[in-house]
Structures are given as C-alpha cells and as structure tokens.
Amino acid sequence: MPSDFDDIRAALEHQLALYGDLVLVDDDVPAAAEPAPVDPKPTPEPIDEPDSVSEPDSDPWARIAALIPADSPLRDMTSLDEVAAWVATTELIELDRTRKNPVFGVGNPEADLLVIGEAPGADEDEQGEPFVGRAGKLLTDILDAIGFERSDVYIANILKSRPPNNRDPFPDEVAAHIPILHKQITLIRPKLILCVGRTSGTSLLGRDSSLKDMRGVFHDYHGIEVMVTYHPAALLRNPNWKRPTWEDVQLLRRRYDELTA
Ligand code: URA
Ligand code: URA
C-alpha cells in the first residue's frame, strides 16, 4: 500500500542513487556535483578533545576494554559467540526479561565499519536481528548507496533488549548494557564507527549533545573515529534530514576508503 513512507523512501532512494554514482566509485566526477564540503553548518568543535589519542602505550582496544567493569564476566570472553550466548542467558536489566529475543548484533565479525543504533524495535525483538523493520530497510539502503552490503559491516545497538513502546533507553539501562558493546568493539576492532541517532552518539561518546551538533565531523573514541548521523527512523519522519545524512555517509565512505586502503 502506498504511504508517506513509500514516498519518502522513493525520494531518498532517488537522491541516494543520484549522488551515489558520483562519490563512491567514479573518480572523474563533474566538480559541480561534488558533494558539498560547503554547506557549512555552523561549525561545531571539529574533533573531540583527543585526550586518549596521545597515549602511545595503550591501543584503542585496551582502552575500551578497560571501560568494562572489572567484575563483569565479559572481561574474560574471547569471541562474539561466547558473548552472544552470555547475553542471551543473562538478565542485566528488566528489559532482558520482557524481551522476546535478545538482539545482539549481526554482520562481519571482522568488519572495518561498525554501525550502532539505539535499541531493538518490535520487528527486531521478534526476529532477534538489528535493523530489520522499516527503519532497518532504510539503513540497509543507505549502506547500499555507499557501497556496503549488510554483511560487509557489523550492526549492533546500544541496548540489546527492546524497551516497551520504543521509549528511549533509561540511563541505567544504557549503563548496564553498554559494556556488551564495549566488548563487541574490542572483539571486532573496527576502524570506523557510525552511530545512527542521538541516543547512539551520546551513549557511546559519553556526552550530552544534539544530533545537529554531533553530525558532520569525526569524533575520537579512544582512538577510533566515529561519525554520528541521523537515525533512519528520524529520516522517515523528517525528509529535511536526508541531505545532511547523505553528506555524513559520504564522508564516512571516503574515510573508510582512506583507512582501509
Ligand atoms: N532502531 C534501532 O536503533 N535499532 C534497531 O535495531 C532497529 C531500529
Ligand atoms: N533527533 C534525534 O534524537 N535523533 C535523530 O536521529 C535526529 C534528531
């Protein structure tokens, strides 16, 4: 059935297809069509205080592993499967009891790009896989437009269990679950992270900022570069955010190519 959603998606897909040809593969792009490095939103602080970048004797993985509470069994785990099995059988917060399925994460366990959302919705809760509903389909399309299959990247959420009625995660829920994500990061060792949505960005980076202030630049996360952009569900509600999202993911793709060259 036709719906606003279909219209918006068709429009976004059109836009993505349009710009997609330009950026990613084709080097001799007409200059006029080059994605605007212009479009300067009032520049927020370009990069976070690189307080951790300059510690030469500790790598990102060691620093992120150190965020996991010392008494957590996660500390000693050595594989994503082991962590997933533990998550599936462990109740850290009440949502872990009310969920239908844990939504641990999916994709390439050695991905160079990690995509982080907020929390499972109804479809994800049903299927036990992140980003499989409406917003998920849009995320898949956005990734596709910058040349990634879902199976190239790893996709996870801040929370592994669905909050009722898709309410925002509570801070104590984030605090209880984010060590799982820390563990996933140390096992996957991505070169780049894409946070979709404000909650994802603020929860990972540990700051309280608007999406607008976070997007458009790379943040330092213990030595890993992080882009934060709009959540695909937000794009379904507000088409004006498609353009900045598209700019962000183009930046992300270019940086990915540089880092993996
Ligand atoms: N929204 C999210 O943030 N994550 C999902 O997995 C699905 C929808
Ligand atoms: N506000 C949010 O919280 N998330 C978005 O993705 C966009 C606006």
Side-chain angles (χ1 to χ4, degrees), residues 79-116:
S79 75
L80 288 171
D81 286 345
E82 188 184 358
V83 180
W86 181 76
V87 167
T89 53
T90 305
E91 188 186 311
L92 296 167
I93 53 177
E94 179 158 351
L95 299 183
D96 301 339
R97 189 147 36 89
T98 55
R99 72 188 176 202
K100 286 187 183 156
N101 288 294
V103 178
F104 179 70
V106 70
N108 177 359
E110 298 182 351
D112 288 324
L113 174 63
L114 171 63
V115 180
I116 304 175

Side-chain angles (χ1 to χ4, degrees), residues 116-132:
I116 304 175
E118 175 177 321
D123 296 304
E124 291 76 21
D125 187 44
E126 201 69 54
Q127 298 180 42
E129 182 172 331
F131 285 103
V132 291

